[in-house]
Structure formats: structure tokens, C-alpha cells
Amino acid sequence: MKQFPVAEPHRPVRPLAVVVVTYQSADVVQGCLAALPQALSGAGESRVVVVDNASTDGTREVVARIAPTATVVARSANDGFAAGVNAGIAAAPDCDVLVLNADIRLAPGSVALLRAAATRRVGVVAPALVDGDGVPQKSLRRAPTVLRTLAEAVLGGTRAGRYRPLGETVTDPAAYREAGAADWVSGAAWLITRECLNVLGALDDRYLLYSEETEFMLRARRGGFAVRYEPAARAVHLGGELESSARLWSLMVANKVRLHRERHGLAGAVPMWFAVALNELLRSVRGDAESRTRHRAALRGLVGMRRWPTPLDAAAAVDSGAPSYLCFSAQDWWYHNRAHSDFQLLTRVAERRKVLLVNSIGLRMPLPGRSTQFLRRILRKARSVAMLVRRPLPDVPGFHVMTPLPLPFYGKPWLRKLNSVLVRAQVRAVCAVLRMGSPVVVATIPTAWDVVSPMKRESLLFNRSDRHSAFPESDQKTIAALEDELLAHSDHVLYVSRALQEQEHGATGDRSYFLDHGVDLEHFRRRPAAEIPADLAGVAGPIIGFFGSLDDYLVDFDLLEHVAASLPDASLVLIGDATCSMERFAKYPNVHWLGFKPYEQIPAYGTAFDVALMPWLDNDWIKHANPIKLKEYLALGLPVVTTDFPEIDHYTDRVRVAKDRDGFVELIGVSLVEGAPVSREQLRESVLPASWDSRARQLVELAEGGRPCAG
């Protein structure tokens, strides 16, 4: 590696701005910011600028807690990393700028070493990078050329990288042990001098992600500024998202062609396109399934690539080039609570994809003597069918809801067949009108299998949110058989219960993924500005509360009655639609059943609780459940007392778990006196990474060819 002369021209000492660009980074930015005080030791005057590209997962709250003195630039959209960097540069005039990914952890004293290396001739300085296990990352690069791309395609990146004319990635370990010049370096962490910025201006934000740092550094070298590698400065780079995301990989590959086009014109871009396509083609038939899927997605992206990529988080319109989504929900949009995972996930997917949500086609026909409130259930389903096809969310025009007319008799094969033909015909007709093509099918209810099995589709995801064969009113043998069919034929099986995922691993293997429930952070973390709701204002405290469906196969009503009798000085407030008679509570003056409340009003009610309850029955359904309300309670900062079930084992540091009824009452008393085991703010912070937006992105990545990021 070329060495610099010992004597370098003096450059004025400038203040430093550390610019950290975030987007849905609540789970990684804390480590980045926490490492900065020691990393900045000896670096002179400095400040931190966090540019947030419209995160919805609580990133800004984490920044406010860890770095309260940081300048936060809150942007209204996620239009790319380069745009975020440019916003940070604009917020730090006359400063040198250290650009960091949110998953970077700088070693102590590293910034001073980078600044010392930034002499007048040097425009960019980058540290050595290692992964979370301390393994060096190959961050040095040579200028991209057609020959180097072809060589990497034929020889492989490691072998080609040993020779300067052939490889773009420098693979010689010796090159990473000494300081010197590079054509360009990985953009996870890099210092840009103000002199360089004054001459070159901003980054080219048309690339959104990938190649923007390549373009800038190559432009810097043409402008007379060197790019320097300084291994004495070190940083841990967690990374990993590119390898797990087909979409990001496709963007990186296409941007390589775009960069070559901008540097060498259309004539130069054509051979680069073929070289890049060859590289992806050869790798699409090698390696593991995840790798093959990623490279095949990149090939498809190259065939239909646009001049510039569309915004990453465009809210203006549905992406016409992406597959549509057909979801067979276990709930009904028109009368169930909107907090259910089907609704939360698919409404967010619909911000960038066309979505048709098919309301529940049921597990059984409600019948007298077998079903509670059977006539009410039939009537509300009839009203739902009468809604036909609607777009219920004006701000999300890509989201459509329909309720087919079903014949939910699943006990007899010929009736099952008739029902599947009837429902499939209705769904196909709506899909044709909406021009949905071959959609991604998301099945949350096992009875969807008969309908979707012969349908043409992009992929099939079984959203295994519950073990429906444990539902007491269903034909359990038939429903279990349908579950088995979905487990066997789905491309991916999504679990919210780790216990159920482990039990069924033999049937699903590497097709299973744990996709935890999320929480609507903006909805439940926002403190209601209005007064306490009128029907709750007159209730004497302390208030022990529950909100959600009061279903007789979920809620232990005997336990609730025991709580009411044991704690007569506390008010037991129950909010939700009940599927059984609530007359048993009439004799308790401290019990207040307020009935169903719209989702929009739930936080206002929950805020008034002193203790929140999860009084579940001990049955097979609950053993494989993961109640969404747990995260909603935590987002409200409420002390939680719950009965025991497997998934709660992951929350015992934050909630109190009772082993029996007397213990449940005792823990309520403890919570009324002491509050939660940790502070309200810690409860809220514990669910910051669990936004429904991040869960929806994981679902899309999985459905469209990538493995979901950890989260």
C-alpha cells in the first residue's frame, strides 16, 4: 500500500461533527452513541448530530436518553443514507464531519487518530473495521472496473482481490496492517475534512444506499484529495443487513451499474451491466438457499432496473413493480379490534404494496348449544359480507378489505370442497378487478389452505400466530389436518411463539422464522392530552385494568372474580367485547365492565390503570400464544401482573408472573405498592425496537426473497 510522506502541510484545526444517520435504529444506535465519549477523547472540540430518516420505532427516544446534548435532525421521510448524511453536513457548517452508521462502535481514542491523519492533502480518512467477534472486515476497495467485476465473477472475490488489476476488494491481510492510500473505503465510518467538502460539495443522494460513498471518494481523488486508511483507529461494525436482505442486495448491485454509467457514460455502462449480471447469475446457482435467492433477486432487478432507484420508504404510491399481497386473516376488520397482528402488519405493507385483506372465513359454523352468542355472530358476519370490497383507510389507498360469503362447514369433505370453490371464486374475482397478478399469500387461518392450494401465487407464508386446532369450538381433527398442510406447503412459516416454533421444527426446518409481535409505538407511547374518559372518570382508584377481547376460551373469569372478591378496595375495570355473559360480576360493586372501545381510545383508558392484568386460562391455546397487549401495556409504562405461559419467560425482568390465583392477587398488591420491577421509562424503552413498521419490513423481506433482519 502506498505510504504518505512523513511531513504534511499544516491545516487549520476545525471543530468536528459526528454525524450518525438512523432509520429504525432503536436496537443498535444506543451502542454507537454510548461509545462516542471515549472514542472522542483527545479529538478536540466536537459535537454529535443525529439525522433520523423518519423512524417510527422509537429511535429518537433512545437518542434523547443516551445523548441528550446531541443535535437531532428529524427528517420527514426516508429517502436514503446519502440524503441523511447531507442533512447532517448542512447542520454542521465549518466542521470536519465524521460519518457513522448506527451500528458502528468506535474504539477509545480512535477519532483523535483519524483527525491526526487528516492533513491538507487528505480528504477522507477511515478506520480499520472488525465485526462483532473481532474478525477484520475487508473494507479497502479499488476503483470498480469491468475487468475487476468479471474477474470477481469468474475467480471469486477473495482470489481476484489478491491482485491489483483483478479484484475490487483488497483481500491481502498485510494491506490492513499499515496506513496508506486507497481508491475508496467502506462507508460505515469515514472522516471527511471541511476542505474536501468545500471543494466537492454534498454526496450524490440519487443512489439512496450504496455507491454514494464510492462516487464521493473517487470524486475526491479526482479533485486532488487522498483517501487514507488508518488502522490504528478501530471500530466494530455489526453490519449483516446487506447479506440478509434481497432488496438491499439488489439495490447495491444495480447501483454499481449506475455509478459506472455516471462515470463512463451509457457505452461504458453496457459492459458493466453484463459483467455484474454474470456475477449474479453464477452465484444464483451456488451456495445456500438464502444466497441463491438474494442473487436471483438481483438478476431480476438488473433486468428491470430504472435510471435511479425509487425512494426506500415512499409513501406517495404503491410500488407497481412489486408483488401484491393477499392475506387470509383470522379476524374481521369490521368488528374485531384493530390491534390484531394481521391488521397491523398488512396496513403497513399496504403503504408500499397493493394489499387485499380477506376477513376471516371461520373455523366452524356457530350453532346453538355449541357456540356462545351464535345468532349475534351470524348477524355480524352477514353485515361484514354486505360491506363488499372497500378501502377503509383514505391515507393508505393500497389497502383493500373484503368479506367473502363462506359456508364454514369443515367436518364433511364435500362441504369443505364446496366452500373452498365458493370462497376462491369470490377472491379471484376481486384480485382480477384489482389487477393483483400472482400475489404473495399470507394465511393466518388454517381453513385458508383449501382456498389457496390451487391458486397461482408468488409465495405462501403461514402466519402461525396461534394453534387454531386448540380452539375448543372447532372440529379440532380437521383443523389440525389443515394446519399440517400449511406447515408442509408454505414457503415460510412465521411464529410468534418460540415454544410452538420449537415443537414444530421437525415439520418446518429452516422455513420457520420467529417474527415477534410488534406494538404501535406512536399510538401507545403518546400520552393522551384529553381528560380521562367520562365513563372512567368516576371510577375510584386504585384501578386494576384489562383491555382486549373478553373471550371465554382465553380469559380466566374465575380468576377475575377471585381478584374482585379479594381486593374490594380496588376497582377492577374490564374493557372489551365479551363473548359470554358478564352477569357474574354484577354482585361486585368494584367491577366495572365498560364494553368495547375503539382502538383509537384504548391508550386513554390504559393510562388510567394502576396495574394491568393478563388473566389467561391454562390451556393449549394460551401455551402457544404471544398476547399483543403485553407490549401495549409496556409501551404505556404500566406494571403488569400475568398468569404463567411459555412466551412470558422472556419478560420476567419487567412483569410479575403468578403461579396460582392467590399469588396473582398477592402480586397485584405488590404492584400497587411498589409499581413495576423497573421504572416506567425502562418499561417503555424495552419495546422501542418492536414497532409494527419493523415487523412489516421483515415480513416483506422474507416474502420477496430475503431473510428478515434480527429485530
Side-chain angles (χ1 to χ4, degrees):
M1 187 177 278
K2 180 182 176 180
Q3 297 295 317
F4 285 87
V6 175
E8 290 284 353
H10 175 73
R11 63 182 292 266
V13 177
R14 298 181 182 274
L16 174 73
V18 181
V19 173
V20 183
V21 179
T22 60
Y23 176 66
Q24 311 294 43
S25 306
D27 53 345
V28 294
V29 73
Q30 177 173 337
C32 176
L33 297 175
L36 284 180
Q38 291 189 25
L40 288 166
S41 177
E45 181 185 351
S46 63
R47 60 193 180 99
V48 177
V49 178
V50 177
V51 181
D52 183 65
N53 282 350
S55 296
T56 59
D57 67 343
T59 294
R60 296 178 194 174
E61 289 87 344
V62 174
V63 173
R65 177 172 57 87
I66 302 299
T69 62
T71 299
V72 177
V73 179
R75 308 187 71 239
S76 60
N78 178 25
D79 52 0
F81 182 81
V85 173
N86 289 340
I89 292 172
D94 299 321
C95 292
D96 294 338
V97 175
L98 175 59
V99 178
L100 299 180
N101 284 6
D103 59 356
I104 283 286
R105 284 95 173 94
L106 285 168
S110 290
V111 179
L113 294 170
L114 293 174
R115 300 206 75 186
T119 61
R120 187 179 295 273
R121 299 178 185 176
V122 175
V124 174
V125 187
L129 301 179
V130 298
D131 64 19
D133 296 323
V135 178
Q137 294 184 349
K138 296 178 175 62
S139 57
L140 295 174
R141 301 288 191 272
R142 303 182 183 105
T145 65
V146 174
L147 175 62
R148 285 172 177 154
T149 303
L150 285 172
E152 290 188 347
V154 176
L155 301 176
T158 300
R159 188 179 303 170
R162 298 171 187 165
Y163 310 101
R164 182 170 184 82
L166 296 183
E168 182 176 338
T169 301
V170 178
T171 60
D172 182 6
Y176 291 87
R177 293 194 288 266
E178 58 181 10
D183 289 353
W184 65 283
V185 294
S186 172
W190 47 308
L191 175 71
I192 315 172
T193 66
R194 176 48 57 178
E195 288 82 359
C196 183
L197 287 169
N198 288 342
V199 172
L200 270 64
L203 280 66
D204 190 338
D205 60 14
R206 293 174 297 177
Y207 294 93
L208 301 184
L209 281 172
Y210 310 114
S211 291
E212 75 277 354
E213 81 270 41
T214 314
E215 188 278 337
F216 185 91
M217 294 182 204
L218 294 178
R219 182 156 44 105
R221 293 177 69 240
R222 291 198 303 272
F225 294 96
V227 176
R228 183 177 175 88
Y229 169 70
E230 181 50 69
R234 297 176 65 82
V236 174
H237 180 213
L238 300 181
E241 188 175 9
L242 176 62
E243 297 292 329
S244 66
S245 171
R247 185 187 184 199
L248 294 184
W249 185 270
S250 298
L251 178 59
M252 184 271 293
V253 168
N255 274 354
K256 186 170 184 176
V257 178
R258 293 182 177 109
L259 173 63
H260 209 72
R261 180 196 65 211
E262 294 302 297
R263 297 184 69 218
H264 303 287
L266 184 60
V270 172
M272 176 60 83
W273 187 96
F274 280 101
V276 169
L278 176 64
N279 191 23
E280 298 305 305
L281 177 63
L282 293 175
R283 279 150 184 76
S284 69
V285 295
R286 305 173 186 168
D288 56 26
E290 182 181 330
S291 174
R292 294 196 303 272
T293 298
R294 187 171 66 245
H295 292 294
R296 288 169 184 170
L299 273 174
R300 292 194 297 269
L302 285 170
V303 171
M305 68 177 287
R306 304 171 180 178
R307 179 169 179 81
W308 292 106
T310 55
L312 297 170
D313 209 32
V318 174
D319 185 350
S320 60
S324 54
Y325 282 69
L326 173 63
C327 175
F328 287 82
S329 174
Q331 316 298 328
D332 193 298
W333 176 269
W334 303 116
Y335 55 79
H336 281 124
N337 194 304
R338 303 287 167 81
H340 286 288
S341 63
D342 292 356
F343 304 153
Q344 294 287 349
L345 288 169
L346 272 301
T347 53
R348 285 161 173 79
V349 171
E351 293 175 1
R352 291 173 293 277
R353 303 288 189 268
K354 188 180 293 183
V355 170
L356 173 60
L357 185 134
V358 180
N359 281 324
S360 175
I361 56 176
L363 298 170
R364 81 291 186 216
M365 171 65 81
L367 295 173
R370 185 182 71 176
S371 307
T372 57
Q373 302 178 332
F374 80 96
L375 183 58
R376 174 176 176 263
R377 294 184 183 189
I378 291 175
L379 289 175
R380 70 181 185 180
K381 179 58 73 174
R383 287 194 295 268
S384 179
V385 172
M387 301 293 282
L388 301 177
V389 182
R390 300 202 178 191
R391 291 191 299 183
L393 303 175
D395 294 335
V396 189
F399 184 66
H400 307 77
V401 176
M402 73 169 291
T403 307
L405 176 64
L407 296 174
F409 295 98
Y410 297 104
K412 296 184 180 298
W414 71 271
L415 283 173
R416 277 179 52 193
K417 177 69 173 177
L418 178 61
N419 182 59
S420 67
V421 171
L422 175 64
V423 172
R424 184 163 55 249
Q426 296 172 74
V427 172
R428 276 179 166 164
V430 175
C431 286
V433 171
L434 296 179
R435 298 181 180 180
M436 294 183 65
S438 298
V440 171
V441 177
V442 181
T444 301
I445 192 166
T447 48
W449 170 248
D450 284 339
V451 179
V452 304
S453 56
M455 291 180 68
K456 186 178 180 181
R457 55 187 181 261
E458 178 84 8
S459 60
L460 174 60
L461 276 65
F462 183 14
N463 187 25
R464 191 79 158 116
S465 59
D466 294 294
R467 175 173 273 173
H468 288 89
S469 56
F471 182 63
E473 293 183 15
S474 68
D475 182 336
Q476 296 184 344
K477 183 177 179 181
T478 299
I479 299 303
L482 291 170
E483 288 176 327
D484 290 342
E485 292 286 352
L486 275 169
L487 290 173
H489 294 94
S490 295
D491 296 290
H492 304 290
V493 183
L494 310 181
Y495 288 90
V496 298
S497 165
R498 279 165 271 224
L500 184 56
Q501 181 183 21
E502 184 177 351
Q503 286 182 18
E504 296 179 345
H505 179 72
T508 58
D510 60 3
R511 293 180 296 115
S512 74
Y513 296 91
F514 179 72
L515 184 65
D516 198 2
H517 280 319
V519 62
D520 190 337
L521 292 169
E522 293 297 317
H523 191 53
F524 283 93
R525 285 179 57 83
R526 182 176 63 247
R527 302 292 291 182
E531 297 179 356
I532 295 176
D535 54 354
L536 192 59
V539 175
I543 294 177
I544 306 163
F546 171 92
F547 58 69
S549 297
L550 291 160
D551 292 313
D552 51 4
Y553 62 92
L554 296 177
V555 175
D556 189 341
F557 289 98
D558 291 338
L559 174 58
L560 287 177
E561 191 170 351
H562 182 65
V563 169
S566 302
L567 299 170
D569 295 330
S571 293
L572 176 59
V573 173
L574 306 175
I575 299 171
D577 198 9
T579 58
C580 59
S581 173
M582 298 293 282
E583 291 182 4
R584 66 191 298 173
F585 295 106
K587 60 185 176 183
Y588 298 101
N590 61 328
V591 176
H592 306 268
W593 175 43
L594 304 184
F596 175 83
K597 300 297 176 185
Y599 179 67
E600 292 74 19
Q601 298 178 16
I602 291 297
Y605 283 90
T607 299
F609 294 175
D610 294 290
V611 178
L613 305 183
M614 296 204 302
W616 308 126
L617 289 167
D618 183 13
N619 58 26
D620 196 46
W621 182 283
I622 292 296
K623 287 176 182 176
H624 302 107
N626 183 353
I628 294 172
K629 77 178 75 285
L630 171 60
K631 292 184 177 65
E632 294 172 346
Y633 285 160
L634 295 176
L636 287 169
L638 298 174
V640 178
V641 176
T642 180
T643 52
D644 197 11
F645 60 100
E647 197 61 32
I648 203 65
D649 290 345
H650 303 278
Y651 297 86
T652 53
D653 59 329
R654 286 159 277 176
V655 305
R656 293 189 172 97
V657 183
K659 301 299 182 183
D660 53 41
R661 291 181 179 180
D662 289 337
F664 195 86
V665 172
E666 180 182 350
L667 291 179
I668 292 174
V670 172
S671 299
L672 287 173
V673 174
E674 300 179 3
V678 297
S679 70
R680 282 181 177 266
E681 191 55 36
Q682 287 174 301
L683 293 177
R684 296 185 181 108
E685 289 171 0
S686 72
V687 294
L688 286 180
S691 72
W692 282 117
D693 300 88
S694 66
R695 302 297 188 239
R697 282 196 305 277
Q698 292 176 51
L699 185 150
V700 169
E701 289 290 347
L702 184 60
E704 298 178 19
R707 187 184 182 91
C709 310

